[in-house]
């Protein structure tokens, strides 16, 4: 089936992006800048906090700078050093090859959302897409306010959302989702140029600087542990704070949030980049394990390639959906599938006392292994 370009002419939307995190906002901005009509639907209202370690790999810095997507009024922290500790606190330090920077999602997403709005993207906040049905050659999106929207192309950038995945009957939704993510912003005494990843039983916790002398303290833990201990405080006392580095951070820092941000029901299981004709970008296409520290970079990079694939087809004066889907899916696989796989295998090495101690000892003796893992899970800088 072939479409013509029809910016702003009919009620059938050209492009609808579901979800306004990094993948959604960046793809909406890029497509809008290239003359396409874009509607972005976000279930929350900006600005808001979300669970994320907020360390961004430098692989996306040239892209963000060349597209003027970084806020210039904020001084982001530059992170060049990495420390890694076992459950018992055995430590390994090494420089980061690529490095990265820290900025809160509260600031970054709000900045991107305001660019999108100013440049003409139709951003609908506080609106949730509850289902997306493809029929003949377009989509009907059902919104929580009872409205229905018709769209030619839909980008699924709704992150780790379990509800929409269930409505779309995605195969991985039948698998267990045994994780929780917990984030705090803190004030503490910690090197500004370092990111540390501290293991604890059934999880790991990262700490690194963000803007305004604040630090992000974010961990991936186990839902089963939370159930077993009854609440976060009890679970943290029994597991997280058993790592002496984390005990020190938790006991000697000022917690800025009244309550931590918490998410659950997400999975690292493989997903597909195109599902039910929706072009998935960011975590909806696949969530890389947080220890790799580059889920945000992947989301931004996926936004770039999904936008380029769409624009490429429009440039030809028509849209051939089959070719578009195959092209995007192939590019996604080539760029990201191996990185996600290595991330999943690496995560299996931590979380249990024996493997965590062994892995850190092994890496202490051969930093080559740690560097090789970093290389396999990170991409090259692009603009
Ligand atoms: C514990 C933890 C720590 C992490 N630490 C890091 C790190 O330090 N560095 C890093 O690079 N990555 C990290 N990540 C990964 C990173 O947070 C994600 O990969 C990244 O946020 C993905 O961006 P996204 O745009 O795909 O999704 P999100 O940023 O999750 O955005 C999705 C958006 O869609 C909206 N939405 C969801 N459902 C709907 C719906 N039905 N209708 C409308 N809107 C909807 C949501 O409200 C949200 O705003 C971490 C992840 C976890 C779990």
């Amino acid at each position: 089936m072939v479409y013509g370009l029809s910016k702003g002419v009919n009620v059938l939307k050209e492009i609808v992006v579901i979800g306004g995190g990094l993948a959604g906002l960046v793809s909406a901005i890029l497509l809008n800048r290239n003359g396409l009509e874009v509607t972005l639907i976000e279930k929350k209202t900006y600005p808001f906090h979300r669970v994320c370690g907020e360390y961004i790999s430098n692989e996306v810095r040239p892209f963000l700078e060349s597209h003027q997507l970084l806020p210039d009024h904020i001084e982001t922290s530059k992170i060049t050093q990495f420390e890694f500790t076992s459950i018992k606190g055995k430590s390994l330090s090494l420089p980061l090859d690529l490095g990265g920077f820290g900025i809160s999602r509260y600031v970054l997403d709000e900045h991107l959302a305001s660019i999108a709005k100013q440049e003409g993207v139709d951003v609908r906040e506080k609106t949730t897409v509850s289902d997306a049905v493809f029929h003949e050659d377009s989509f009907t999106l059902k919104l929580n306010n009872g409205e229905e929207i018709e769209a030619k192309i839909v980008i699924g950038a709704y992150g780790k959302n379990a509800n929409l995945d269930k409505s779309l009957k995605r195969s991985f939704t039948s698998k267990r989702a045994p994780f929780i993510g917990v984030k705090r912003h803190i004030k503490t005494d910690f090197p500004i140029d370092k990111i540390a990843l501290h293991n604890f039983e059934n999880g790991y916790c990262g700490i690194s600087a963000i803007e305004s002398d604040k630090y992000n303290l974010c961990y991936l833990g186990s839902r089963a542990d939370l159930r077993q201990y009854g609440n976060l405080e009890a679970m943290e006392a029994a597991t997280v704070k058993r790592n002496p580095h984390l005990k020190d951070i938790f006991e000697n820092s000022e917690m800025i949030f009244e309550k931590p941000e918490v998410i659950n029901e997400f999975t690292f299981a493989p997903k597909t980049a195109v599902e039910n004709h929706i072009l998935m970008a960011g975590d909806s296409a696949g969530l890389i394990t947080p220890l790799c520290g580059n889920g945000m970079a992947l989301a931004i990079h996926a936004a770039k390639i999904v936008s380029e694939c769409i624009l490429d087809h429009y440039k030809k004066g028509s849209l051939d959906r089959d070719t578009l889907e195959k092209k995007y899916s192939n590019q996604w696989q080539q760029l990201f599938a191996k990185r996600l796989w290595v991330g999943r295998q690496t995560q299996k090495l931590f979380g249990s006392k024996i493997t965590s101690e062994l892995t850190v000892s092994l890496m202490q003796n051969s930093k080559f292994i740690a560097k090789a893992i970093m290389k396999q899970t990170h991409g090259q800088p692009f603009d």
Side-chain angles (χ1 to χ4, degrees):
M1 177 62 74
V2 174
Y3 295 103
L5 179 66
S6 56
K7 181 167 176 159
V9 180
N10 52 24
V11 283
L12 179 68
K13 303 276 179 206
E14 202 75 47
I15 297 175
V16 173
V17 181
I18 309 175
L22 294 176
L25 287 164
V26 172
S27 49
I29 292 169
L30 295 181
L31 291 166
N32 177 70
R33 282 182 182 173
N34 281 280
L36 294 182
E37 178 204 68
V38 186
T39 303
L40 181 145
I41 301 172
E42 165 54 49
K43 75 174 173 192
K44 296 191 179 169
T45 306
Y46 301 102
F48 57 92
H49 290 288
R50 59 171 100 234
V51 173
C52 179
E54 299 175 332
Y55 163 84
I56 310 192
S57 162
N58 273 340
E59 65 190 271
V60 288
R61 185 149 205 147
F63 170 81
L64 292 173
E65 283 175 350
S66 67
H67 288 77
Q68 283 147 356
L69 295 175
L70 277 177
D72 48 21
H73 61 286
I74 298 280
E75 181 110 19
T76 57
S77 62
K78 290 179 183 49
I79 299 167
T80 55
Q81 304 297 318
F82 178 54
E83 185 189 7
F84 189 72
T85 72
S86 68
I87 293 177
K88 287 187 184 161
K90 193 186 283 177
S91 164
L92 162 83
S93 291
L94 70 163
L96 288 164
D97 280 348
L98 257 180
F101 59 99
I103 182 170
S104 69
R105 298 294 300 272
Y106 189 87
V107 168
L108 180 60
D109 292 24
E110 155 78 339
H111 177 71
L112 293 172
S114 68
I115 294 177
K117 289 175 203 170
Q118 273 163 26
E119 293 184 359
V121 176
D122 176 14
V123 178
R124 302 201 187 171
E125 296 171 67
K126 226 178 165 183
T127 309
T128 302
V129 176
S130 52
D131 204 1
V133 182
F134 184 78
H135 49 91
E136 294 184 5
D137 215 11
S138 63
F139 295 87
T140 302
L141 302 183
K142 295 184 181 160
L143 309 186
N144 63 336
N145 59 12
E147 207 186 318
E148 290 193 349
I149 295 186
E150 300 287 315
K152 284 183 186 173
I153 295 182
V154 172
I155 297 178
Y158 51 86
K160 304 168 264 296
N161 180 277
N163 290 338
L164 193 47
D165 286 330
K166 278 181 192 148
S167 305
L168 294 172
K169 300 186 176 64
R170 300 184 78 186
S171 58
F172 60 85
T173 52
S174 59
K175 299 205 168 92
R176 285 171 59 238
F179 300 102
I180 54 164
V182 179
K183 174 180 106 171
R184 294 171 171 91
H185 283 172
I186 61 172
K187 294 248 179 187
T188 196
D189 184 14
F190 189 81
I192 195 152
D193 61 346
K194 181 156 105 174
I195 178 164
L197 203 60
H198 300 295
N199 281 279
F200 59 87
E201 186 126 31
N202 300 327
Y204 49 86
C205 179
I207 175 168
S208 54
I210 50 167
E211 72 280 352
S212 313
D213 300 325
K214 286 184 287 190
Y215 288 80
N216 174 302
L217 184 67
C218 182
Y219 68 80
L220 182 80
S222 137
R223 285 181 78 189
D225 283 355
L226 183 57
R227 262 198 306 274
Q228 181 188 340
Y229 293 106
N231 59 52
L232 276 186
E233 220 184 358
M235 185 192 76
E236 286 171 354
T239 62
V240 181
K241 295 185 199 169
R242 299 296 276 274
N243 179 315
H245 301 272
L246 289 173
K247 184 171 191 290
D248 182 47
I249 294 166
F250 272 79
E251 289 180 357
N252 296 301
S253 305
E254 180 197 334
M255 303 289 160
I256 298 174
F257 295 166
E258 213 169 281
K259 278 201 273 171
E261 286 289 310
V262 182
I263 49 164
N264 55 33
E265 286 239 28
F266 56 93
T267 174
F268 300 104
K271 303 176 183 175
T272 43
V274 179
E275 185 100 29
N276 191 27
H277 304 283
I278 300 174
L279 307 172
M280 301 289 181
D283 288 355
S284 343
L287 170 59
I288 191 161
T289 50
L291 60 81
C292 303
N294 58 13
M296 288 190 277
L298 252 73
I300 293 167
H301 201 165
K304 178 179 184 270
I305 63 166
V306 77
S307 309
E308 283 171 354
C309 287
I310 293 170
L311 288 167
D312 220 34
H313 280 260
Y314 271 113
K315 265 189 213 137
K316 290 177 188 143
S318 63
L319 170 67
D320 173 347
R321 192 181 296 279
D322 286 347
T323 314
L324 168 64
E325 290 177 6
K326 279 191 192 114
K327 189 173 170 184
Y328 174 60
S329 188
N330 288 341
Q331 286 199 19
W332 195 96
Q333 285 294 324
Q334 271 170 23
L335 280 166
F336 309 128
K338 187 172 168 209
R339 291 169 66 177
L340 267 69
W341 183 86
V342 175
R344 280 193 294 274
Q345 307 316 310
T346 310
Q347 183 161 275
K348 287 182 194 158
L349 297 174
F350 308 105
S352 105
K353 269 189 200 135
I354 299 168
T355 53
S356 147
E357 296 305 317
L358 268 175
T359 309
V360 175
S361 299
L362 202 67
M363 287 182 179
Q364 272 176 333
N365 291 327
S366 169
K367 291 191 177 164
F368 169 78
I369 299 173
K371 282 184 172 266
I373 293 173
M374 277 186 210
K375 206 167 181 176
Q376 293 293 324
T377 53
H378 283 75
Q380 291 302 313
F382 62 92
D383 62 16

